[in-house]
Amino acid sequence: RSLEEKRSAASGEAMKRTRSRAAARPAEEEDEVTSDSESPSSDGRVNDSAGSSSDSEEREDGQAGDSKRRRETPEQKRLRLAKAYLRSMEIEGGGQEGGEEESGTDEDGVTDPKPVDISERLKVEALAQRGHYQRKIADGVSLPEEGCSRLICRPMKRQGGGGFHRKSLTGVCIPGGDGTKCYSVSKCGALVGWDLDTLSRNNTFTYGARQAQRSRPSGPASTSAEPLYSVCCSDDGRTVVTGGHSGTITAWDARSGEVVKTFEKVHKAEVTGLTFQSGTQQLFSCSRDRTVKIWSLDDMAYVDTLFGHVQGCTQIDCLRKERVISVGEDRTCRLWKVQDETQLLFKGTPCSGNVDACCFVNGTTFVTGSQDSSVSLWSMFKKRPVYTVRGAHGSHGDGDGSACSTWVHSLAACANTDLVASGGGDGRVTLYRVDPEDQTASERMRAVGEVEGVEGYVNALAFNAEGTVLVAGAGQEPRLGRWDRNPSSKNALYVQRLALGGAGNDG
């Protein structure tokens, strides 16, 4: 009994001591934290134990968040990313609209930001990715009073630079992601880069391309000075591709002008058209050998050949979808559905003549130009043109010029807008507003302006992505032949600035 009494008394005293220590511990810790965070050290500096404790807490929170993300399911991850994307859109939209309109203030003086229509922005982005989004800008287009600028490519001053564009320009292109650059080719075999901001030649690229051409072997089989009929550039602006008279396709580095890859004589005739699928490195080429070929510049390899034209192809175009349109001397237009391995055939009137130009307006609408001076608007859902502009560049017999002076030699469209331009042998560049769903037939394709100051045969046209710049490649001769010559004109590049009043109306 005495032992049991001693043990119980000892345990009671221990419990009392533990309780007293636990009651005194919070007060001591509070005193320590206060003294550590507020008391200066001996050298006058304040201790930063509070900052270190906050850093450790942040690290613990980050580790906890990482472990939580590892345990989340794919559905939870998609939901988390969607919420983050919506928050970023709200912040971005609030920052953009904050300077335009003043935000409201409630009774307590708290500022409420202007609400952002996120659903509308998501709809626009989805339509743009599928190629169905269209901006209505043609009605607001106006031409500045100063007119267009003419850029003549003269011989370079560097030793061995040589002359450039001594013959007619045959192709121009503007990279989709950089509207300040432009590239042009001509019948003399020159590839020239331009700076549209300064309206001058990019000598670094041009000189590099010329040196690369001269380094090729000479002889009867040489392609160093062969005529070039087509040029295109990838959306990222890194690769420029040209097609020549011998059927050779060449890929160039857009920064240095060096040759990246040469596909020697892959076509049996001259390469008349080149185009990239938007946002990819997939290239399409057409030729007078009646074929359309597909190339992958990611692998620098040939992919496939499309057959269907019974005579030579003259032009080709493609947008974001894997759909290609091509026109040719067989007076037809073909829409190739590459993924489905099918094609749609579109025929004009029996007396329409050869079709020399084509371009996509959006994913379902395109425009063609023929040798009978007609420009036709098409929908992929109809076999006949939605509307045709007759005599767009005059008619044969109007003047003293040859018959090819009235042909439609070039077309260009500002992608996913309603703005289209056509160029002919009379030196005229006409701007059109297109709307295939308009109830009035004459309003489906209506002229909204004309660029003045261009001389000679307008063999190539190109818009920048915003539709504020139009470039035209002109020369003394037609693009694909020497049926006529206009000695009074210059082989030059013309740059026209466009003012888009009221641009941005969505369709």
Side-chain angles (χ1 to χ4, degrees), residues 122-134:
L122 291 175
K123 180 181 177 181
V124 168
E125 290 184 3
L127 290 175
Q129 290 179 357
R130 289 183 293 175
H132 296 313
Y133 176 64
Q134 188 174 20

PDB file of all heavy atoms in Angstrom, residues 122-134:
ATOM      1  N   LEU A 122     -14.162  34.229 -76.682  1.00  0.00           N
ATOM      2  CA  LEU A 122     -13.936  32.800 -76.923  1.00  0.00           C
ATOM      3  C   LEU A 122     -14.543  32.360 -78.251  1.00  0.00           C
ATOM      4  O   LEU A 122     -13.949  31.551 -78.981  1.00  0.00           O
ATOM      5  CB  LEU A 122     -14.534  31.988 -75.776  1.00  0.00           C
ATOM      6  CG  LEU A 122     -13.846  32.116 -74.419  1.00  0.00           C
ATOM      7  CD1 LEU A 122     -14.639  31.357 -73.363  1.00  0.00           C
ATOM      8  CD2 LEU A 122     -12.426  31.602 -74.487  1.00  0.00           C
ATOM      9  N   LYS A 123     -15.694  32.911 -78.591  1.00  0.00           N
ATOM     10  CA  LYS A 123     -16.326  32.571 -79.861  1.00  0.00           C
ATOM     11  C   LYS A 123     -15.480  33.038 -81.033  1.00  0.00           C
ATOM     12  O   LYS A 123     -15.301  32.307 -82.015  1.00  0.00           O
ATOM     13  CB  LYS A 123     -17.719  33.207 -79.922  1.00  0.00           C
ATOM     14  CG  LYS A 123     -18.472  32.931 -81.207  1.00  0.00           C
ATOM     15  CD  LYS A 123     -19.829  33.618 -81.196  1.00  0.00           C
ATOM     16  CE  LYS A 123     -20.570  33.398 -82.509  1.00  0.00           C
ATOM     17  NZ  LYS A 123     -21.882  34.092 -82.519  1.00  0.00           N
ATOM     18  N   VAL A 124     -14.936  34.248 -80.922  1.00  0.00           N
ATOM     19  CA  VAL A 124     -14.105  34.788 -82.003  1.00  0.00           C
ATOM     20  C   VAL A 124     -12.844  33.951 -82.174  1.00  0.00           C
ATOM     21  O   VAL A 124     -12.446  33.627 -83.308  1.00  0.00           O
ATOM     22  CB  VAL A 124     -13.753  36.258 -81.695  1.00  0.00           C
ATOM     23  CG1 VAL A 124     -12.655  36.759 -82.635  1.00  0.00           C
ATOM     24  CG2 VAL A 124     -14.982  37.138 -81.844  1.00  0.00           C
ATOM     25  N   GLU A 125     -12.197  33.578 -81.068  1.00  0.00           N
ATOM     26  CA  GLU A 125     -10.982  32.777 -81.169  1.00  0.00           C
ATOM     27  C   GLU A 125     -11.265  31.402 -81.771  1.00  0.00           C
ATOM     28  O   GLU A 125     -10.486  30.901 -82.578  1.00  0.00           O
ATOM     29  CB  GLU A 125     -10.343  32.630 -79.788  1.00  0.00           C
ATOM     30  CG  GLU A 125      -9.745  33.924 -79.256  1.00  0.00           C
ATOM     31  CD  GLU A 125      -9.036  33.721 -77.937  1.00  0.00           C
ATOM     32  OE1 GLU A 125      -8.972  32.555 -77.486  1.00  0.00           O
ATOM     33  OE2 GLU A 125      -8.557  34.707 -77.364  1.00  0.00           O
ATOM     34  N   ALA A 126     -12.378  30.800 -81.390  1.00  0.00           N
ATOM     35  CA  ALA A 126     -12.718  29.483 -81.953  1.00  0.00           C
ATOM     36  C   ALA A 126     -12.995  29.575 -83.447  1.00  0.00           C
ATOM     37  O   ALA A 126     -12.552  28.732 -84.233  1.00  0.00           O
ATOM     38  CB  ALA A 126     -13.931  28.901 -81.217  1.00  0.00           C
ATOM     39  N   LEU A 127     -13.726  30.614 -83.876  1.00  0.00           N
ATOM     40  CA  LEU A 127     -14.001  30.779 -85.297  1.00  0.00           C
ATOM     41  C   LEU A 127     -12.730  31.061 -86.083  1.00  0.00           C
ATOM     42  O   LEU A 127     -12.564  30.587 -87.213  1.00  0.00           O
ATOM     43  CB  LEU A 127     -15.018  31.914 -85.500  1.00  0.00           C
ATOM     44  CG  LEU A 127     -16.452  31.641 -85.032  1.00  0.00           C
ATOM     45  CD1 LEU A 127     -17.305  32.892 -85.180  1.00  0.00           C
ATOM     46  CD2 LEU A 127     -17.081  30.496 -85.823  1.00  0.00           C
ATOM     47  N   ALA A 128     -11.829  31.850 -85.509  1.00  0.00           N
ATOM     48  CA  ALA A 128     -10.585  32.165 -86.204  1.00  0.00           C
ATOM     49  C   ALA A 128      -9.724  30.921 -86.378  1.00  0.00           C
ATOM     50  O   ALA A 128      -9.095  30.734 -87.419  1.00  0.00           O
ATOM     51  CB  ALA A 128      -9.818  33.237 -85.436  1.00  0.00           C
ATOM     52  N   GLN A 129      -9.691  30.049 -85.379  1.00  0.00           N
ATOM     53  CA  GLN A 129      -8.906  28.831 -85.491  1.00  0.00           C
ATOM     54  C   GLN A 129      -9.463  27.890 -86.550  1.00  0.00           C
ATOM     55  O   GLN A 129      -8.707  27.196 -87.234  1.00  0.00           O
ATOM     56  CB  GLN A 129      -8.848  28.115 -84.138  1.00  0.00           C
ATOM     57  CG  GLN A 129      -8.011  28.842 -83.099  1.00  0.00           C
ATOM     58  CD  GLN A 129      -7.994  28.124 -81.775  1.00  0.00           C
ATOM     59  OE1 GLN A 129      -8.662  27.087 -81.612  1.00  0.00           O
ATOM     60  NE2 GLN A 129      -7.242  28.658 -80.822  1.00  0.00           N
ATOM     61  N   ARG A 130     -10.776  27.884 -86.725  1.00  0.00           N
ATOM     62  CA  ARG A 130     -11.387  27.028 -87.744  1.00  0.00           C
ATOM     63  C   ARG A 130     -11.470  27.695 -89.111  1.00  0.00           C
ATOM     64  O   ARG A 130     -11.873  27.065 -90.078  1.00  0.00           O
ATOM     65  CB  ARG A 130     -12.790  26.609 -87.295  1.00  0.00           C
ATOM     66  CG  ARG A 130     -12.802  25.627 -86.140  1.00  0.00           C
ATOM     67  CD  ARG A 130     -14.214  25.211 -85.794  1.00  0.00           C
ATOM     68  NE  ARG A 130     -14.967  26.326 -85.250  1.00  0.00           N
ATOM     69  CZ  ARG A 130     -16.267  26.267 -84.949  1.00  0.00           C
ATOM     70  NH1 ARG A 130     -16.933  25.150 -85.175  1.00  0.00           N
ATOM     71  NH2 ARG A 130     -16.890  27.306 -84.438  1.00  0.00           N
ATOM     72  N   GLY A 131     -11.091  28.971 -89.202  1.00  0.00           N
ATOM     73  CA  GLY A 131     -11.114  29.664 -90.480  1.00  0.00           C
ATOM     74  C   GLY A 131     -12.453  30.215 -90.873  1.00  0.00           C
ATOM     75  O   GLY A 131     -12.658  30.568 -92.035  1.00  0.00           O
ATOM     76  N   HIS A 132     -13.404  30.346 -89.936  1.00  0.00           N
ATOM     77  CA  HIS A 132     -14.744  30.850 -90.246  1.00  0.00           C
ATOM     78  C   HIS A 132     -14.957  32.284 -89.777  1.00  0.00           C
ATOM     79  O   HIS A 132     -16.014  32.852 -90.032  1.00  0.00           O
ATOM     80  CB  HIS A 132     -15.817  29.956 -89.604  1.00  0.00           C
ATOM     81  CG  HIS A 132     -15.813  28.558 -90.141  1.00  0.00           C
ATOM     82  ND1 HIS A 132     -15.772  28.275 -91.480  1.00  0.00           N
ATOM     83  CD2 HIS A 132     -15.844  27.355 -89.508  1.00  0.00           C
ATOM     84  CE1 HIS A 132     -15.782  26.955 -91.664  1.00  0.00           C
ATOM     85  NE2 HIS A 132     -15.815  26.377 -90.477  1.00  0.00           N
ATOM     86  N   TYR A 133     -13.988  32.858 -89.105  1.00  0.00           N
ATOM     87  CA  TYR A 133     -14.146  34.220 -88.599  1.00  0.00           C
ATOM     88  C   TYR A 133     -13.825  35.212 -89.721  1.00  0.00           C
ATOM     89  O   TYR A 133     -12.836  35.079 -90.434  1.00  0.00           O
ATOM     90  CB  TYR A 133     -13.216  34.448 -87.415  1.00  0.00           C
ATOM     91  CG  TYR A 133     -13.254  35.860 -86.883  1.00  0.00           C
ATOM     92  CD1 TYR A 133     -14.410  36.382 -86.326  1.00  0.00           C
ATOM     93  CD2 TYR A 133     -12.125  36.667 -86.937  1.00  0.00           C
ATOM     94  CE1 TYR A 133     -14.440  37.674 -85.828  1.00  0.00           C
ATOM     95  CE2 TYR A 133     -12.142  37.950 -86.437  1.00  0.00           C
ATOM     96  CZ  TYR A 133     -13.305  38.450 -85.888  1.00  0.00           C
ATOM     97  OH  TYR A 133     -13.328  39.728 -85.411  1.00  0.00           O
ATOM     98  N   GLN A 134     -14.660  36.208 -89.892  1.00  0.00           N
ATOM     99  CA  GLN A 134     -14.472  37.180 -90.973  1.00  0.00           C
ATOM    100  C   GLN A 134     -14.707  38.591 -90.457  1.00  0.00           C
ATOM    101  O   GLN A 134     -15.710  38.865 -89.809  1.00  0.00           O
ATOM    102  CB  GLN A 134     -15.420  36.899 -92.141  1.00  0.00           C
ATOM    103  CG  GLN A 134     -15.135  37.759 -93.366  1.00  0.00           C
ATOM    104  CD  GLN A 134     -15.980  37.356 -94.554  1.00  0.00           C
ATOM    105  OE1 GLN A 134     -17.012  36.712 -94.393  1.00  0.00           O
ATOM    106  NE2 GLN A 134     -15.552  37.717 -95.745  1.00  0.00           N
TER     107      GLN A 134
END
